[in-house]
């Protein structure tokens, strides 16, 4: 499957209300993803695509999704580290205050 077909399949699923975000695609049942990929392939066959511009746009959209996933993972890791550090400081302060 081409990148343009994959991108169109995601867009169709989103437009039909099956996706709220990019992460939802991986959680969508395999048969539903397959149906949307088949629909995307048929749609592109009818319109004579994908064109080179559509392929480039789809490749960029794929890169953006990956960068957003990485950003979200780093943000979650940062928040978790900040929470653990704050908790450790609070626990340390309570131990110092309780030991006097």
């Amino acid at each position: 499957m081409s990148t343009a077909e994959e991108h169109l399949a995601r867009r169709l699923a989103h437009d039909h209300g099956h996706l709220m975000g990019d992460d939802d695609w991986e959680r969508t049942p395999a048969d539903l993803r397959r149906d949307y990929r088949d629909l995307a392939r048929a749609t592109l066959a009818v319109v004579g695509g994908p064109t080179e511009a559509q392929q480039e746009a789809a490749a960029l959209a794929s890169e953006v999704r990956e960068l957003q996933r990485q950003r979200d993972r780093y943000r979650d890791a940062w928040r978790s580290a900040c929470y653990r550090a704050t908790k450790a400081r609070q626990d340390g302060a309570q131990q110092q205050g309780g030991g006097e």
Side-chain angles (χ1 to χ4, degrees), residues 6 8-11 13-14 18 29 36 38-39 43 46-47 49 60 68 78 86 89-90 95-96 99-100:
E6 183 75 12
L8 181 56
R10 287 173 182 255
R11 291 290 309 266
H14 181 269
H18 288 109
Y36 277 112
D38 290 344
L39 179 60
T43 301
V46 168
V47 298
L60 288 174
Q68 288 171 335
W78 175 256
T86 301
R89 278 195 303 270
Q90 290 172 347
Q95 288 175 355
Q96 284 182 350
E100 295 179 300

Side-chain angles (χ1 to χ4, degrees), residues 31 47 49 77 94:
D31 59 333
V47 298
Q94 286 176 354

Side-chain angles (χ1 to χ4, degrees), residues 2-4 6-8 10 22 26 54-70:
S2 73
T3 306
E6 183 75 12
H7 179 69
L8 181 56
R10 287 173 182 255
D22 287 326
E26 284 75 28
Q54 289 169 327
Q55 284 285 30
E56 289 175 14
L60 288 174
S62 179
E63 289 177 29
V64 167
R65 278 193 305 274
E66 180 56 31
L67 289 171
Q68 288 171 335
R69 273 194 290 273
Q70 289 176 9

Side-chain angles (χ1 to χ4, degrees), residues 27-48:
R27 291 189 294 265
T28 302
D31 59 333
L32 188 60
R33 287 193 313 256
R34 185 180 56 246
D35 290 346
Y36 277 112
R37 286 176 178 140
D38 290 344
L39 179 60
R41 193 174 298 111
T43 301
L44 289 171
V46 168
V47 298

